[in-house]
């Protein structure tokens, strides 16, 4: 289905939990956030019903996120069940990779196609600092294991922050030289915890000046590329991508909906608009569910109001509650 601005909606991001085993400083406060009780969280059964219904509106691509999706029990079987839904062509996962190494093989066998791994620094101390207690080795091991079991779509997502990791740009870029992974730099967005970090924002243009030899990918390479602009580098196995939500807003081609773990359907990451689909799922009211999804797509705003000087998001949730 197309939204009122003519954008074809085919991509659903599902936050399967608001819990996380890390506390990245730009995402969550140290004490964490008040997490939902198990009763408030959608069951896998309910999410599957939602995904099935969403295929009627043209959803064919799903990404599981969180919080940290790998902390939810039964996630591997859940992937396998989504994989059986007719109409779903691709399932991806966005993870901090803390628990990836032991699960990579099973996830591949369950039908997962792509993995996005969050990694902001290659310095073990800095990694521990930014995540508050994470171990860099877990992530590096997770990346290697994902490649070893045969994932050919592994992307590294790095949020750059002035004065923290901007001197590591080339080290992160070199991951794409050493391994067949795409490395993507994400502009820090003013949402939740990150509203306190506005002065650390670094634009894509600034980041690019640190990377010699960038040349834009051909249009062919950009098909289905989503919000990232990709640049291959001579002699590198992977590409370098930039997700420039602020400096080069991609709202005009936005194709996505988000489902939160407590059953709110959000047509836009940076808007307060949410449609509560939980009651329809609880009552197995499929007509109500259909109308709710239709309504959410109709309500999708044209874009966000973030801008370089003023990064404050319209949304009251933390990033970990929506899933990025
Ligand atoms: N826990 C998983 C992970 O870290 O990959 C999935 C959820 S996390 C909210 C999804 C992505 O959002 C991560 O790549 C994280 O770096 C990114 N993120 C969180 N807060 C952000 C912010 N304020 N600006 C930009 N990206 C952010
Ligand atoms: Fe957890 Fe991901 Fe947020 Fe880090 S970015 S605190 S890993 S949800
Ligand atoms: Fe889509 Fe909203 Fe993100 Fe823009 S801000 S890309 S409209 S979700």
């Amino acid at each position: 289905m197309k939204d009122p601005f003519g954008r074809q909606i085919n991509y659903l991001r599902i936050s399967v939990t608001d819990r996380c085993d890390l506390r990245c400083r730009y995402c969550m406060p140290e004490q964490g956030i008040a997490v939902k009780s198990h009763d408030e969280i959608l069951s896998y059964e309910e999410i599957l019903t939602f995904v099935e219904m969403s295929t009627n509106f043209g959803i064919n691509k799903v990404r599981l996120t969180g919080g940290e999706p790998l902390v939810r029990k039964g996630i591997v079987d859940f992937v396998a069940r989504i994989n059986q839904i007719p109409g779903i062509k691709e399932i991806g996962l966005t993870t901090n990779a803390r628990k990836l190494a032991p699960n990579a093989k099973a996830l591949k066998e369950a039908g997962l196609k792509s993995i996005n791994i969050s990694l902001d620094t290659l310095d073990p101390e800095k990694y521990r600092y930014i995540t508050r207690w994470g171990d860099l080795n877990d992530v590096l091991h997770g990346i290697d294991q994902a490649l070893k079991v045969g994932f050919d779509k592994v992307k590294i997502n790095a949020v750059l922050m002035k004065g923290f990791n901007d001197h590591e740009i080339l080290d992160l870029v070199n991951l794409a030289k050493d391994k067949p992974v795409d490395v993507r730099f994400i502009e820090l967005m003013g949402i939740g915890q990150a509203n306190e970090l506005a002065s650390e924002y670094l634009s894509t243009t600034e980041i690019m000046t640190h990377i010699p030899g960038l040349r834009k990918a051909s249009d062919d390479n950009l098909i289905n590329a989503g919000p990232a602009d990709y640049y291959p580098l001579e002699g590198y196995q992977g590409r370098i991508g930039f997700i420039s939500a602020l400096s080069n807003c991609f709202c005009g081609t936005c194709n996505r909906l988000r489902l939160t773990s407590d059953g709110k359907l959000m047509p836009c990451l940076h808007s307060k608009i949410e449609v509560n689909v939980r009651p329809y799922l609880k009552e197995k009211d499929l007509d109500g569910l259909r109308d709710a999804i239709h309504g959410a797509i109709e309500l999708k705003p044209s874009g966000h109001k973030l801008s370089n000087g003023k990064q404050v998001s319209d949304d009251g949730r933390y990033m970990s509650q929506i899933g990025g």
Side-chain angles (χ1 to χ4, degrees):
M1 174 175 163
K2 286 191 176 166
D3 74 2
F5 301 94
R7 296 169 297 189
Q8 187 74 46
I9 307 301
N10 72 331
Y11 178 30
L12 174 67
R13 294 179 67 101
I14 304 171
S15 172
V16 293
T17 177
D18 57 350
R19 291 165 197 247
C20 185
D21 50 359
L22 293 177
R23 295 281 182 276
C24 301
R25 286 172 189 267
Y26 51 82
C27 180
M28 272 204 200
E30 182 165 16
Q31 68 280 15
I33 48 159
V35 290
K36 305 279 173 194
S37 69
H38 288 294
D39 306 346
E40 292 171 284
I41 296 292
L42 295 182
S43 67
Y44 282 143
E45 242 12 274
E46 288 163 346
I47 303 177
L48 287 164
T49 302
F50 183 91
V51 176
E52 261 166 29
M53 179 60 81
S54 74
T55 60
N56 297 318
F57 291 87
I59 295 292
N60 56 22
K61 197 176 154 190
V62 166
R63 175 162 294 275
L64 306 180
T65 172
E68 172 49 41
L70 295 183
V71 302
R72 183 154 177 185
K73 274 197 196 119
I75 191 78
V76 172
D77 290 341
F78 180 56
V79 169
R81 292 188 65 192
I82 297 181
N83 201 31
Q84 284 162 7
I85 296 178
I88 297 299
K89 293 188 190 144
E90 186 169 333
I91 312 168
L93 176 84
T94 298
T95 174
N96 62 29
R98 205 169 180 224
K99 296 188 164 62
L100 180 58
N103 287 300
K105 187 165 183 281
L107 285 165
K108 177 90 175 89
E109 285 166 3
L112 191 73
K113 288 283 179 306
S114 78
I115 305 186
N116 292 359
I117 295 172
S118 302
L119 176 59
D120 305 321
T121 169
L122 293 169
D123 175 329
E125 287 310 312
K126 283 194 171 239
Y127 183 78
R128 186 174 297 279
Y129 171 81
I130 196 72
T131 59
R132 289 200 173 91
W133 55 71
D135 183 344
L136 178 65
N137 281 326
D138 293 339
V139 188
L140 299 178
H141 191 33
I143 296 171
D144 287 341
Q145 205 52 32
L147 294 172
K148 193 172 161 196
V149 302
F151 281 102
D152 53 9
K153 283 186 164 185
V154 176
K155 295 180 186 136
I156 310 298
N157 287 337
V159 177
L160 287 180
M161 287 154 278
K162 223 175 246 172
F164 174 70
N165 55 358
D166 46 345
H167 63 287
E168 284 191 72
I169 294 174
L170 284 183
D171 295 338
L172 289 161
V173 163
N174 278 335
L175 282 174
K177 186 177 198 176
D178 302 337
K179 302 175 195 291
V181 298
D182 289 342
V183 174
R184 314 193 302 175
F185 294 106
I186 303 179
E187 286 183 348
L188 180 68
M189 296 181 283
I191 178 168
Q193 198 66 6
N195 278 316
E196 292 165 24
L197 303 175
S199 62
E200 296 187 24
Y201 165 79
L202 206 66
S203 74
T204 288
T205 314
E206 286 170 274
I207 300 167
M208 282 177 160
T209 59
H210 294 271
I211 313 173
L214 285 180
R215 100 193 124 75
K216 191 99 192 273
S218 69
D219 284 351
D220 286 355
N221 285 341
L222 290 174
I223 290 170
N224 284 332
D229 278 334
Y230 284 105
Y231 293 73
L233 276 177
E234 198 66 41
Y236 280 57
Q237 303 184 61
R239 304 166 301 172
I240 309 304
F242 298 91
I243 302 186
S244 324
L246 280 87
S247 68
N248 189 14
C249 149
F250 37 82
C251 300
T253 54
C254 182
N255 59 349
R256 57 195 59 195
L257 295 176
R258 290 177 165 83
L259 180 66
T260 65
S261 55
D262 59 345
K264 307 292 187 326
L265 184 56
M266 298 183 64
C268 173
L269 173 62
H270 291 291
S271 156
K272 285 196 177 85
I273 300 170
E274 48 185 43
V275 174
N276 188 6
V277 296
R278 189 166 171 268
Y280 307 112
L281 292 167
K282 290 271 160 245
E283 286 155 27
K284 299 188 173 39
D285 173 1
L286 295 183
D287 289 337
L289 180 62
R290 188 178 293 110
D291 290 349
I293 298 176
H294 190 276
I297 297 175
E298 286 290 339
L299 285 172
K300 189 169 167 74
S302 62
H304 65 65
K305 299 192 200 92
L306 303 172
S307 77
N308 210 333
K310 181 176 168 287
Q311 294 193 319
V312 183
S313 171
D314 228 14
D315 183 77
R317 287 178 178 250
Y318 283 96
M319 197 67 149
S320 60
Q321 295 172 306
I322 312 171

